Amino acid sequence: MDNLNIVQQFAIWVLPVLFGVTLHEVAHGWMANRLGDPTALMLGRLSFNPIKHIDPVGTIAVPATLLIISSIAGTPLFIFGWAKPVPVTFENLRQPKRDMALVAIAGPLANLLMALLWGVLIKFGYPLLGEETSWVGEPMVFMGLAGIGINSALMVLNLLPLPPLDGGRILIGLLPASFTRWLVRSEPYGILILLLLLTSGILGWVMNPLVALVQYAVISMLRL
């Protein structure tokens, strides 16, 4: 995709990013509803309409900025983002501590499923890469690759053991309270810590091999 201009790259990435962050949040709300908390359902957040989930910063500004920086600097493209968190009322869950971990893991699992579905799009696009149908096949393949990339990144990012990310909530739900007290206390500072890790390069150093591993697993499973 390096030979695409910024407009073409935007067209390729916009749907994978929107669906990646939207369905991630819908999965949280769907699981919460299944486990006794209808808050997201009552607020209309169990919707596949991206507009209901868009966060101006996380869904638009951050991915667009990373895309522009990559295009101008000629560096490898690395995109991630987030949507407005789906509200979950902890007290409504049948077994709050356990169920919160299940609600948290639903988002990353949704991203893994989406990565596989974008891979299926690639399988349909490959036979269309011939001279006469490349105008159809190439966008399908490029968008499929973008879909695998963004969903792999979202899955790995959200599984990092740092509240308010899903990985932190999973640990809080699974480990005894005596081991998770410091995790709960760190939640108000989670985003700041994440930004510091991002700007220092530590986040990329940790995530890149894991994202590559997930991408390899998806490609291998689908025999792309």
Side-chain angles (χ1 to χ4, degrees), residues 1-17 67 70-72 74-79 118 121-122 126 129 137-151 215 219:
M1 283 189 278
D2 293 338
N3 59 335
L4 301 179
N5 61 44
I6 190 169
V7 174
Q8 292 171 322
Q9 291 198 47
F10 178 81
I12 291 297
W13 280 90
V14 63
L15 287 181
V17 170
L67 177 61
S70 173
S71 180
I72 294 175
T75 56
L77 183 60
F78 176 74
I79 286 185
W118 284 112
L121 182 67
I122 296 175
Y126 272 146
L129 290 177
E138 284 188 5
M140 291 174 67
V141 171
F142 284 151
M143 194 171 290
L145 290 171
I148 292 175
I150 184 63
N151 281 287
Q215 291 175 325
I219 290 171

Side-chain angles (χ1 to χ4, degrees), residues 12-13 19 24-25 30 33 40-41 53 62 65 72 77-78 101 105 107 124 131 140 145 156-157 161 192 198 221:
I12 291 297
W13 280 90
F19 280 115
H24 178 102
E25 294 301 329
W30 178 85
N33 187 55
L41 178 63
H53 305 278
V62 170
T65 300
I72 294 175
L77 183 60
F78 176 74
I105 203 170
F124 281 107
E131 187 173 337
M140 291 174 67
L145 290 171
V156 171
L157 175 67
L192 178 60
L198 175 64
M221 288 174 64

Side-chain angles (χ1 to χ4, degrees), residues 39-223:
T39 304
L41 178 63
M42 291 189 298
L43 294 176
R45 294 295 304 277
L46 297 191
S47 169
F48 294 126
N49 180 1
I51 294 175
K52 291 183 177 291
H53 305 278
I54 286 176
D55 179 282
V57 175
T59 316
I60 299 174
V62 170
T65 300
L66 292 172
L67 177 61
I68 292 169
I69 291 173
S70 173
S71 180
I72 294 175
T75 56
L77 183 60
F78 176 74
I79 286 185
F80 73 94
W82 61 88
K84 288 190 297 185
V86 164
V88 177
T89 304
F90 185 77
E91 294 79 10
N92 288 343
L93 298 171
R94 297 188 189 99
Q95 298 185 48
K97 194 171 188 296
R98 182 209 67 179
D99 291 350
M100 198 65 206
L102 294 175
V103 170
I105 203 170
L109 288 178
N111 289 124
L112 178 59
L113 176 60
M114 280 186 282
L116 291 167
L117 292 176
W118 284 112
V120 171
L121 182 67
I122 296 175
K123 289 186 77 75
F124 281 107
Y126 272 146
L128 301 175
L129 290 177
E131 187 173 337
E132 294 182 358
T133 56
S134 62
W135 63 277
V136 177
E138 284 188 5
M140 291 174 67
V141 171
F142 284 151
M143 194 171 290
L145 290 171
I148 292 175
I150 184 63
N151 281 287
S152 298
L154 285 171
M155 177 184 173
V156 171
L157 175 67
N158 279 283
L159 285 176
L160 295 178
L162 175 68
L165 298 177
D166 297 329
R169 297 191 186 279
I170 292 168
L171 282 181
I172 291 171
L174 295 179
L175 297 177
S178 57
F179 289 95
T180 60
R181 195 169 292 113
W182 69 274
L183 278 173
V184 174
R185 291 174 178 171
S186 70
E187 183 162 345
Y189 312 102
I191 296 300
L192 178 60
I193 295 171
L194 189 64
L195 290 174
L196 290 173
L197 293 174
L198 175 64
T199 54
S200 67
I202 295 175
L203 184 64
W205 180 79
V206 171
M207 281 188 57
N208 287 341
L210 297 174
V211 171
L213 181 61
V214 174
Q215 291 175 325
Y216 176 77
V218 169
I219 290 171
S220 298
M221 288 174 64
L222 295 173
R223 298 183 179 179

